[in-house]
Amino acid sequence: MNIIKLKILTLIDKLHKVTEVSSVLRMKQPTVTFHMRSLEQEMDMPLFASHKGRVVLTEGGKAILPYAQQMVALEDEIRKTAADWAARHDEKIRVGADHYSEAYILPEILISYSNLNPEAVFEVSVHAGEMLEELLVKGDIELAVYQEGNPWKGPYIKKTVLKDRFLLAHGAFHPMNKLKEASPEELNKHRFVYSRTCPLQLEQMKLWSEQHDLPLSNTLGLNSLEAVMTAVRTGQAVAFLPESCVIRHEQGIFTAPIPGWKQSPCTIRTACHSERPRSEGSQDFWHYITAYSGFNA
């Protein structure tokens, strides 16, 4: 007995229209009708009848309906169980990251983990923070790594990977490099560059300017942090950059505390969805990344 025939029986009882059943099952109407007749032949009794333009179940159809519903529900449960098992045993560890974390936080962790687990296969995708949250909800990624901005609300488990801070960055030939100590007013005379892919960077600049009641007008948005660093190295612009980004990865850029700025730590977090199954590899990587101490070495 084909389970699709039993699905048709349950849907006829609910919808009473062959056209609507065919739409739900994405079948052609003659195919649905064929399965209805085939089921009647298997049961050796009429199961369907027409009544005032509607298709209804006969008494025989109603008699087997509860068993059909149980079998359809059981098939749904089997498929769900199989999907959950497949998700837990997926060979790929599906990680989503924002642009900053993908470029400056994840590479070191991924290499370190892969050295210990050569069989690990990662699928890393890069998205803005709000998109990462949506992908977690859909199950398209198993965990996210991101600079925390607006807090995520939902059934997530979140852990801190790194506590960072923003520094003032400038090139060797920039006028700021000649000053032992600069005031916010002096700093605001120079051009600021920022990355459009790192919203927290622009947010920090705005908070700083508002705190000192300074107009933030001489700014230039670029398409990546790498472009920002190139602009800073030329000595023609300054930027607020995460310390981990500059200290660990860049040469030719000088840094100093941001004048007159008492900031909260910039936190890099990893998050997973508490109500979705994760592969064994993903669970192992989750424990590894939350315990990773390389950034403090």
Side-chain angles (χ1 to χ4, degrees):
M1 183 182 299
N2 192 329
I3 193 71
I4 196 64
K5 298 176 185 178
L6 299 180
K7 281 187 177 181
I8 291 171
L9 182 79
T10 62
L11 287 171
I12 286 292
D13 180 64
K14 180 180 179 181
L15 302 174
H16 304 291
K17 293 280 187 180
V18 173
T19 52
E20 293 185 23
V21 172
S22 63
S23 177
V24 169
L25 296 177
R26 297 182 179 180
M27 290 181 173
K28 293 182 179 180
Q29 187 173 335
T31 304
V32 173
T33 302
F34 170 81
H35 285 305
M36 292 168 63
R37 291 173 179 169
S38 175
L39 183 60
E40 287 181 319
Q41 291 174 358
E42 287 186 42
M43 297 294 103
D44 196 24
M45 64 178 177
L47 303 174
F48 309 99
S50 297
H51 180 71
K52 295 182 179 180
R54 305 168 76 219
V55 182
V56 297
L57 298 184
T58 63
E59 291 302 316
K62 292 177 182 178
I64 68 170
L65 177 62
Y67 302 101
Q69 290 170 332
Q70 290 178 32
M71 293 180 71
V72 170
L74 182 60
E75 190 223 16
D76 291 340
E77 189 63 29
I78 291 172
R79 289 185 181 276
K80 182 178 181 301
T81 300
D84 289 349
W85 187 93
R88 288 193 299 271
H89 295 80
D90 191 349
E91 292 183 359
K92 293 181 180 178
I93 302 173
R94 292 173 289 120
V95 180
D98 59 20
H99 291 79
Y100 172 71
S101 300
E102 187 269 340
Y104 296 101
I105 302 299
L106 267 182
E108 180 175 323
I109 300 176
L110 292 178
I111 292 171
S112 177
Y113 182 83
S114 297
N115 286 339
L116 297 173
N117 302 273
E119 75 286 353
V121 178
F122 288 92
E123 182 178 277
V124 180
S125 56
V126 184
H127 309 275
E130 58 273 13
M131 179 58 70
L132 290 174
E133 185 175 6
E134 183 178 327
L135 292 174
L136 273 181
V137 171
K138 291 181 178 179
D140 291 340
I141 59 175
E142 295 176 284
L143 59 91
V145 182
Y146 60 99
Q147 277 186 318
E148 186 172 60
N150 296 326
W152 291 4
K153 297 179 181 179
Y156 307 114
I157 303 172
K158 295 185 285 186
K159 298 286 186 179
T160 298
V161 177
L162 170 70
K163 283 192 176 294
D164 211 345
R165 63 171 179 158
F166 277 83
L167 296 175
L168 171 65
H170 54 78
F173 302 106
H174 193 276
M176 292 294 296
N177 199 36
K178 299 178 181 179
L179 300 177
K180 292 184 178 179
E181 186 174 344
S183 66
E185 290 75 17
E186 175 64 30
L187 175 59
N188 199 50
K189 296 176 183 178
H190 301 281
R191 178 179 291 279
F192 287 80
V193 288
Y194 65 92
S195 170
R196 298 188 187 94
T197 63
C198 183
L200 201 56
Q201 188 183 21
L202 181 58
E203 180 183 319
Q204 295 287 313
M205 289 164 52
K206 289 180 177 178
L207 289 172
W208 173 82
S209 66
E210 290 169 2
Q211 179 177 318
H212 297 286
D213 196 24
L214 295 170
L216 194 63
S217 55
N218 193 9
T219 63
L220 176 63
L222 301 175
N223 289 329
S224 67
L225 278 167
E226 290 76 9
V228 168
M229 292 177 190
T230 299
V232 168
R233 284 195 205 93
T234 67
Q236 300 182 57
V238 298
F240 290 179
L241 290 174
E243 183 175 20
S244 61
C245 169
V246 181
I247 300 301
R248 300 182 67 81
H249 299 278
E250 296 301 325
Q251 300 294 326
I253 295 179
F254 292 78
T255 61
I258 299 171
W261 183 228
K262 293 182 179 180
Q263 59 180 302
S264 299
C266 164
T267 305
I268 307 298
R269 292 197 186 278
T270 183
C272 65
H273 200 289
S274 62
E275 298 176 358
R276 284 197 172 274
R278 287 181 288 139
S279 65
E280 292 179 359
S282 171
Q283 294 180 52
D284 187 65
F285 181 64
W286 166 266
H287 293 305
Y288 184 83
I289 192 174
T290 55
Y292 186 73
S293 60
F295 294 112
N296 300 318

